Structure formats: C-alpha cells, structure tokens
Amino acid sequence: METIRERLIKVLLESKEPLTVNQLQALVNTELKPSELYDELEHVKKTLKRMGYRLELVPAVCKNCGYEFRDREKLKKPSRCPRCKSERIEPPKFYIEPL
C-alpha cells in the first residue's frame, strides 16, 4: 500500500500539466483537507530533492486584478490579494522538473 506522499509523487510525475491541490486531492483519492495536502506537499518537496527532482509551481493569481504571487515561500494558497484585497484567488499549480 502506497502512502499519500508516494501517491502524490507518482501523480505529479505522470502528469503532463500543472495540477492544483483540488485536482491532486481527486487524483490521489484522499480524505485530507486541502490545508493538510499543502503540508504533505512541503514534505514531498524535500523527498523529490533527494530523488533528483524539483517541485515547481505556477504562482497563485488574483482573479480580480491579475496580481501574481511570485515571491511566496509558502506553498499554500494566499488568503487575500495585497493589491486589491480581493479573496478571489486562483490557487497555485504544482509540477515536477528534473534538477
């Protein structure tokens, strides 16, 4: 039986396009909340580094003004836009690249 982290890595390696946490949640078939899945991705990031890969992300974007959250260190979706204060945020998308 594979762990959630192993399934996340497998799905990300097989994916041809970046995936959001909600898409990952559906593909991995897990009961974890999105916030818990972001925590798992932090660990997956470290594991991938040892395997010779890098977890990359397409930054979150504000749906209201188009602000792009490029310099965030956290993987989690931001709660509000610093520019327009909107809470309508497109979540980040994740993919794997070789080192």
Side-chain angles (χ1 to χ4, degrees):
M1 185 93 182
E2 290 179 319
T3 66
I4 292 173
R5 293 177 190 169
E6 290 170 341
R7 287 184 285 173
L8 280 170
I9 290 170
K10 182 178 177 183
V11 167
L12 285 167
L13 282 171
E14 292 174 355
S15 176
K16 295 186 183 346
E17 60 186 43
L19 301 169
T20 65
V21 166
N22 293 334
Q23 292 169 322
L24 285 170
Q25 188 177 24
L27 291 170
V28 172
N29 296 324
T30 181
E31 298 296 321
L32 291 179
K33 297 176 188 173
S35 62
E36 295 170 326
L37 209 49
Y38 281 116
D39 292 338
E40 292 295 328
L41 283 170
E42 290 285 351
H43 292 282
V44 164
K45 185 177 181 179
K46 293 175 187 174
T47 303
L48 286 170
K49 189 173 181 179
R50 287 194 311 262
M51 294 171 60
Y53 293 99
R54 184 175 61 230
L55 181 66
E56 294 289 333
L57 71 134
V58 176
V61 176
C62 176
K63 292 180 182 179
N64 196 35
C65 71
Y67 179 81
E68 207 169 278
F69 295 84
R70 288 182 182 221
D71 297 329
R72 280 182 60 90
E73 298 210 6
K74 295 180 182 176
L75 298 179
K76 293 183 179 183
K77 175 183 153 190
S79 59
R80 281 197 310 169
C81 175
R83 186 186 297 162
C84 71
K85 307 299 183 213
S86 172
E87 294 180 4
R88 297 182 59 228
I89 307 291
E90 182 75 31
K93 296 178 182 178
F94 302 93
Y95 63 97
I96 293 177
E97 287 286 322
L99 285 177

